[in-house]
Amino acid sequence: MSPRKLPARHTVTVEIAGERHVLRSDVPPEYTRAVADHVDRTIRGLPAYPTLEPVRAVMLAALSITDELFKANEEIDRLRAEITRRTADTATALEEAVAESSDPGRPPPRKRSAAAPSPDPAAPAEGGTGSGAHE
């Protein structure tokens, strides 16, 4: 059995909140710099940044970045559900069109009910104005 080849490790020096850090990673250096830059911008963007203790600033930045992640994951889930619903609607429409074209006298097939997710309370209702309580 041949030994597994380990990914190349890169050493990158970054600056976060005025402190230099040497990081080793197996991702491209540009990616590591971009991640560190995002953390730095989040820390510096805190309203009380200049007066915060460094540990508190990092903790608040971590909470903010985690909130961004959770919201992005919720949006991904919502979009996946929308894709599933639209795919099911399209499949049903295609089945009906094929059935009608192959046997005009035959009644169309019964519509399948796709397991639709519960509606997103923050999403505007169809035909609505989108002025919900969350906006």
Side-chain angles (χ1 to χ4, degrees):
M1 201 183 252
S2 65
R4 292 169 106 184
K5 183 178 179 184
L6 296 175
R9 304 228 3 122
H10 303 281
T11 301
V12 181
T13 302
V14 298
E15 188 171 313
I16 300 174
E19 293 184 14
R20 294 176 65 95
H21 301 274
V22 178
L23 307 174
R24 283 185 295 278
S25 176
D26 57 359
V27 298
E30 300 78 24
Y31 181 81
T32 302
R33 284 187 198 97
V35 170
D37 186 53
H38 182 71
V39 171
D40 183 60
R41 283 192 322 268
T42 302
I43 291 170
R44 291 176 185 277
L46 295 170
Y49 164 67
T51 61
L52 289 173
E53 302 246 349
V55 171
R56 184 146 176 88
V58 169
M59 189 239 353
L60 291 172
L63 289 170
S64 177
I65 292 168
T66 302
D67 180 54
E68 291 173 6
L69 171 67
F70 284 11
K71 287 177 180 175
N73 284 335
E74 287 174 3
E75 179 66 3
I76 288 168
D77 290 343
R78 186 192 69 74
L79 291 170
R80 283 183 177 148
E82 178 70 11
I83 289 168
T84 299
R85 184 189 66 77
R86 288 183 181 206
T87 300
D89 290 350
T90 302
T92 299
L94 286 171
E95 288 171 357
E96 290 172 357
V98 167
E100 288 174 13
S101 67
S102 64
D103 187 2
R106 181 175 157 215
R110 287 188 2 218
K111 289 187 177 185
R112 288 190 227 162
S113 64
S118 59
D120 179 0
E126 292 205 6
T129 60
S131 59
H134 298 288
E135 292 184 34

